[in-house]
Amino acid sequence: MKMKYVLLMTGLLLFSCKSPEARRPVSQETGSYINEAVERNRKIVAEEEARIQQIIKSDTTREYLSSANGFWYYYNKKDTTRARTPEFGDVVEFDYNLKTLEGRDIYTDEEIVPRTYAIDQEELFSGLRQGLKLMKEGETVTFLFPSHKAFGYYGDKKRIGSDVPLISTVTLIDISEAPEANQENNN
């Protein structure tokens, strides 16, 4: 009996000293979902850019410019006498509209009252935020934004759906210096 007791205790000691092992997942993901999403997004961007290039190619009356930020634009009204463009913190007043690439109104400029925006300090979709920085006071510019520079995958949850490229005509009405710059100049 003592022998069984000693063997039992020895066995318990040997197996109880073992450190716990991590359990392995039943199935292992290889990141295929991420790879599929990246590939899908590349395809969407390529299709949208091809549509925009087709619009540019068929419109021989305007000179389109390509921005370093991934969108295209042309000037409806250009000011060659002013040099100042908005900088970080400047407050701009502007008017704009949003259309589909086919030219169908989504939001007219009447629906979007002239609005003010502190450059890079408030929410605004990335293409418009970057486009405003290219403009001078009094200019009107038409931008062609692929969806990733507009409202992207989520849309605006109202009239703009998922992955919708946009055309926007923007008029920069006024540029005011950043409030801090005005206070420094007054001191």
Side-chain angles (χ1 to χ4, degrees):
M1 182 79 170
K2 279 187 173 183
M3 187 62 148
K4 285 183 179 179
Y5 182 73
V6 171
L7 285 175
L8 181 65
M9 291 305 281
T10 306
L12 284 174
L13 283 174
L14 285 175
F15 291 109
S16 66
C17 293
K18 185 177 177 185
S19 63
E21 285 185 31
R23 296 185 307 167
R24 301 285 176 231
V26 176
S27 65
Q28 293 182 348
E29 295 291 327
T30 61
S32 62
Y33 173 76
I34 292 172
N35 294 338
E36 289 170 12
V38 167
E39 197 54 42
R40 184 183 69 243
N41 288 339
R42 283 184 182 154
K43 184 179 177 185
I44 289 169
V45 169
E47 288 171 358
E48 290 174 0
E49 288 182 357
R51 287 175 57 202
I52 291 171
Q53 289 301 323
Q54 186 61 37
I55 290 169
I56 292 170
K57 186 178 178 182
S58 65
D59 185 1
T60 58
T61 62
R62 296 181 179 97
E63 179 186 349
Y64 286 83
L65 303 167
S66 175
S67 84
N69 295 307
F71 57 85
W72 293 262
Y73 62 101
Y74 64 86
Y75 286 92
N76 302 69
K77 180 181 173 189
K78 186 171 183 167
D79 188 342
T80 57
T81 60
R82 299 177 200 250
R84 188 175 188 296
T85 57
E87 298 174 5
F88 178 83
D90 287 347
V91 177
V92 296
E93 182 180 356
F94 65 100
D95 196 10
Y96 70 107
N97 65 13
L98 295 173
K99 297 180 179 190
T100 64
L101 289 184
E102 294 76 27
R104 183 180 50 82
D105 284 330
I106 299 173
Y107 293 104
T108 64
D109 55 351
E110 289 85 23
E111 292 177 284
I112 307 171
V113 295
R115 82 172 267 184
T116 57
Y117 166 71
I119 298 291
D120 292 334
Q121 294 184 334
E122 297 177 44
E123 287 293 319
L124 195 62
F125 70 88
S126 69
L128 186 54
R129 185 174 61 241
Q130 295 160 344
L132 283 168
K133 293 181 200 175
L134 299 173
M135 298 177 69
K136 299 174 194 163
E137 193 174 295
E139 290 185 331
T140 301
V141 177
T142 298
F143 296 97
L144 287 80
F145 299 117
S147 65
H148 67 277
K149 286 295 176 181
F151 290 89
Y153 177 74
Y154 294 104
D156 75 341
K157 298 189 173 128
K158 295 176 188 166
R159 297 184 195 171
I160 300 172
S162 178
D163 298 319
V164 176
L166 300 173
I167 296 176
S168 180
T169 301
V170 181
T171 300
L172 185 56
I173 299 166
D174 184 52
I175 302 173
S176 303
E177 286 187 24
E180 302 87 45
N182 288 335
Q183 289 176 353
E184 289 173 15
N185 291 340
N186 291 336
N187 293 334

